[in-house]
Structures are given as structure tokens and as C-alpha cells.
Amino acid sequence: MPETADVIVIGAGIAGAAAAAHLAADRRVVLLERESQPGYHSTGRSAALFTETYGNRAIRILTGASRTFYEAWADGFAEHPILTPRGALMFAMPGQEEALATAWAELSPDDPRVRRLDAAEARALVPVLRAGSVIGAVHEPDSMDIDVHELHQGYLRRFRQRGGRLVVDAEVRALVSAGGCWTAGTTMGDFAAPVIVNAAGAWADVVAGLAGLPPIGLVPMRRTALTIAPPAGIDASPWPMTLDIGENFYFKPDAGRLLVSPADETPMPPCDVQPDELDIAIAIDRLTRATTIEVARVERKWAGLRSFVADKTTVNGFDPLANGFFWLAGQGGYGIQTAEAMARGAVSLIERGELPADIRAAGLDAATLSPARFRS
Ligand SMILES: Cc1cc2nc3c(=O)[nH]c(=O)nc-3n(C[C@H](O)[C@H](O)[C@H](O)COP(=O)(O)OP(=O)(O)OC[C@H]3O[C@@H](n4cnc5c(N)ncnc54)[C@H](O)[C@@H]3O)c2cc1C
């Protein structure tokens, strides 16, 4: 006989862990994870930034709606602050005048905290930017570093405190619906519940396929990161996350080192993705052209998958083609910073078919996130 629950969540990355923790408040929830270690895939490979100027308007609303919870980390949720000040500087290089004007026009009406900087002001914040490399910038002083491990562990801890059951090494290999109940066949046995939450990250379309559903067109894209030593004799720790406005590369202080990325977006099938040497070389080339930083040695390098649907908005809602099959996917490059709002949204959509009041008041409706947009 399968083990029964009210909800089965597939995938214990940040999306599944956050949703499972919220759902377990008043339901029996089983969280199934294929790997031995939750967070092994995208969640453990991010750049750990929280920025309310990143992504489209829906993403910015979901990010803003997560902030209060991350700032409070209250009621024993975490042992350390989740957010610490960082700032984000989107700088424009010669030739990026139009992109700078567009970013400013889009972001400044929505967020009075963002500031327009001239080249000298941008270089005062990040003195290693070469004089000829900057024509201006948009600065978001309130952007933060996220302690991803603390946040993820906080959700898993809360999930367990609420009686939730995490099963690792449990790859879902079959999904069958009968009599209003889904049965998930896994490498750790069978589990049954009326509601399945598909939080399988880059594998979300694969999991839907197990249930006999067509894909939503999720495209996993490789993104590479590396760390190097900061320049000798310079305290880099106060620098903001520094990103060129066309998102061709970025760098940020990270635990005493500099994290650098070529901001690559290479489409590929879901897998345990590894960095490509060419992307590492591109990152170093872009960094050394735009800054005076010299790279003697790459200390660490890794890659992770950022998975997007066509409109780059996350997917949160029941599939109109299958009763009880709920999507929590397409988190792209913002799954950490939006996790709390996505999880609250999932609970509210499952219970009442609408998003929480604060998210609706900010201007986001359920239809914008719904998988129904791929089913017409
Ligand atoms: C280099 C890089 C930088 C990034 N920077 C940021 C950032 O600064 N800020 C930000 O907010 N986001 C950032 N992101 C994006 C963020 O990491 C992702 O959006 C987020 O981690 C996605 O979480 P997830 O839970 O959906 O996916 P995952 O963490 O990949 O979790 C999905 C889980 O599902 C499991 N799974 C899959 N199939 C099955 C199955 N059949 N059965 C059981 N389990 C299964 C997998 O094993 C996996 O553990 C970055 C990503 C990368 C790669």
C-alpha cells in the first residue's frame, strides 16, 4: 500500500522546501527528493542576491512580497539573518546608452529607492571600473546578499517541525491518477495524495511527462560562476553586486573572494551541469576589459541551471488538464529571492484559487502565473 498524505511535493530545492514548509502548517505533506542532499542542483549554485530591480514586473512583485519574511527571520526560523546589505549597481558601457535609459524609465517609477548615477558616482562605488568603461548606472542601494543555505535549511527545519516527511534518494519515476488520487512511484516506495506539487526545477517538464501532461516549454539554461581573489591592497567587501546593464557579466564580493559570472544562458537538457572552460575564459575577458582587476588564478568554478518559460514569468497554479496537478516551476534566475512569495502563493492558490491579498494588491493576478497560459 502506498504511504498517504494530503500533498506530495516533488523536489526539495528552495521552491519545494518553501512550499512544503507552508503547506505543512495544516496538512500532511510528503516532500520527495531524488538526490541524497536537498539543494544539490540550482539552489546550491546561485549567486545569492536579492534584488527588487531584476526580472519583469511580475518577478519584481514576487521579490518585493518575499522581503518582509526574509528580513524578519522570526520565530526561530533561522539562526542568522537571511539578508545582509549588498547593493546592486547596473552600469552602462559605451554603446549601452539606450539600455540605460530604458532601465531607468522602467524601474524608477516603481521604486523610489533606485538612483541614477553618472560615471564618476558609479566609479566612486566600484573604483576598479575603468574610466572608459562606464557612462552611467542605475544603483539599487537596498539590494541584499541572501544566505541561501540558511534560508533553505530554515524551510526544511520548519517543515519537519510541522510534522512534514522529507524522503531523500526518492526519484519519482511514475505518476498515476485514479479516483481523485495521485500515486507517485519512487525509488523509495509509493506515495499517494490528492494533490501533487511539481517543484522539480529543471526537470519540471519531465515530471509533467510522467503524469501524461504536455510540457510548458521550460528551457534550462546553464549559468557559470567562478571565484577569484580580490585585488591586493583593496577592500572589496563594500562593493555592490556590479552588473553591466546588458547582463553580459557581473561580479560581487562573496565571503572574502570575488564571485564572477559571464551571465551565460546556454540552453540544455536538465542535468547535473558542469562549467565549460570557454565560459570561464569569457568571464575573465569581460571582467578584465571593464575593470582593472587582474586574475591570477580561478579558485572555484561551477555552473547551475536557470530554467525559464517563454515569458520568463514563474509558473504557479493547477494545470487545467489534470485535476490536482500543481506547477511550481520556471524560477529562472530569481527562484531564491521569490521563494517565499511563490510558496505563499501556492498555498493560497491551492486553498482558494487566488493569490494572497498583498500580492494581488501589488498588481499581480493568478492568471499571469497560471500554467493555463500554455494550454490554449
Ligand atoms: C549561477 C546561478 C546564479 C543564480 N543567482 C541567483 C540569485 O542571485 N538570486 C536568485 O534568487 N536566484 C538565483 N539563481 C536561480 C536560483 O538558483 C533558482 O531559480 C532556484 O534555485 C530554483 O530552485 P528550484 O527549487 O526550482 O530548483 P532546484 O534547486 O534545482 O530543485 C529542484 C529539485 O527537484 C529534484 N527533482 C527533479 N526531478 C525529480 C524527480 N523525478 N523526483 C524527485 N526529485 C526530483 C532535483 O533533484 C532538485 O533537487 C541562480 C542560478 C544560478 C545557476
Side-chain angles (χ1 to χ4, degrees):
M1 288 294 285
E3 186 176 326
T4 59
D6 297 321
V7 181
I8 292 171
V9 179
I10 301 175
I14 195 76
H22 278 275
L23 287 163
D26 48 13
R27 290 172 188 79
R28 291 175 305 138
V29 181
V30 171
L31 175 56
L32 301 174
E33 169 55 50
R34 177 187 52 207
E35 307 293 344
S36 318
Q37 192 196 347
Y40 174 75
H41 289 288
S42 302
T43 296
R45 308 181 190 201
S46 88
L49 193 77
F50 177 98
T51 163
E52 291 180 65
T53 56
Y54 195 49
N56 63 30
R57 188 151 184 278
I59 300 307
R60 300 200 301 269
I61 290 173
L62 291 168
T63 305
S66 300
R67 184 168 194 134
T68 307
F69 177 78
Y70 295 165
E71 282 181 336
W73 56 290
D75 305 326
F77 176 79
E79 286 159 11
H80 309 284
I82 303 294
L83 300 183
T84 47
R86 171 56 56 206
L89 183 77
M90 281 177 283
F91 75 99
M93 297 189 275
Q96 293 181 316
E97 292 79 1
E98 204 180 318
L100 177 62
T102 306
W104 178 249
E106 190 176 340
L107 298 174
S108 55
D110 270 2
D111 192 341
R113 295 166 298 182
V114 298
R115 301 188 301 146
R116 175 94 181 239
L117 304 187
D118 63 22
E121 290 168 321
R123 292 187 64 237
L125 278 178
V126 186
V128 289
L129 287 170
R130 291 185 193 277
S133 297
V134 195
I135 57 160
V138 174
H139 182 217
E140 182 194 358
D142 284 346
S143 166
M144 307 293 254
D145 279 337
I146 312 182
D147 188 332
V148 179
H149 180 75
E150 191 72 15
L151 180 63
H152 189 220
Q153 290 304 314
Y155 283 129
L156 291 175
R157 199 164 37 239
R158 181 152 288 181
F159 175 63
R160 282 189 293 263
Q161 285 163 354
R162 291 177 168 174
R165 173 149 142 69
L166 167 67
V167 189
V168 295
D169 300 316
E171 178 176 352
V172 175
R173 292 186 168 171
L175 283 171
V176 177
S177 173
C181 190
W182 286 95
T183 300
T186 85
T187 42
M188 294 295 281
D190 291 353
F191 300 84
V195 174
I196 291 280
V197 174
N198 178 8
W203 290 265
D205 265 344
V206 176
V207 164
L210 297 175
L213 288 165
I216 56 170
L218 193 67
V219 181
M221 301 214 199
R222 182 178 63 215
R223 175 149 295 189
T224 307
L226 57 123
T227 57
I228 57 171
I234 298 179
D235 178 13
S237 63
W239 294 351
M241 158 92 157
T242 304
L243 169 81
D244 89 280
I245 207 137
E247 201 177 345
N248 295 301
F249 82 104
Y250 62 77
F251 58 100
K252 70 175 273 216
D254 181 63
R257 321 315 290 165
L258 281 186
L259 184 158
V260 187
S261 172
D264 45 328
E265 292 193 332
T266 309
M268 57 180 44
C271 62
D272 183 359
V273 66
Q274 299 302 314
D276 186 290
E277 285 306 321
L278 181 59
D279 290 321
I280 302 285
I282 290 171
I284 294 170
D285 180 57
R286 290 177 183 165
L287 179 76
T288 51
R289 278 171 195 266
T291 73
T292 55
I293 296 170
E294 291 172 11
V295 180
R297 190 169 72 85
V298 171
E299 295 179 345
R300 277 182 63 218
K301 55 188 172 184
W302 68 93
L305 294 173
R306 300 156 80 247
S307 300
F308 296 91
V309 289
D311 60 14
K312 297 209 161 183
T313 300
T314 52
V315 185
N316 201 339
F318 279 112
D319 196 311
L321 300 182
N323 279 341
F325 190 95
F326 191 92
W327 289 82
L328 192 58
Q331 284 85 348
Y334 12 79
I336 314 290
Q337 61 184 36
T338 58
E340 172 64 16
M342 287 282 284
R344 286 199 292 120
V347 174
S348 182
L349 287 164
I350 288 170
E351 278 176 0
R352 297 185 296 280
E354 61 181 14
L355 288 168
D358 63 310
I359 298 178
R360 281 184 282 129
L364 193 59
D365 59 20
T368 303
L369 304 184
S370 171
R373 67 194 198 268
F374 308 106
R375 299 303 191 214
S376 53

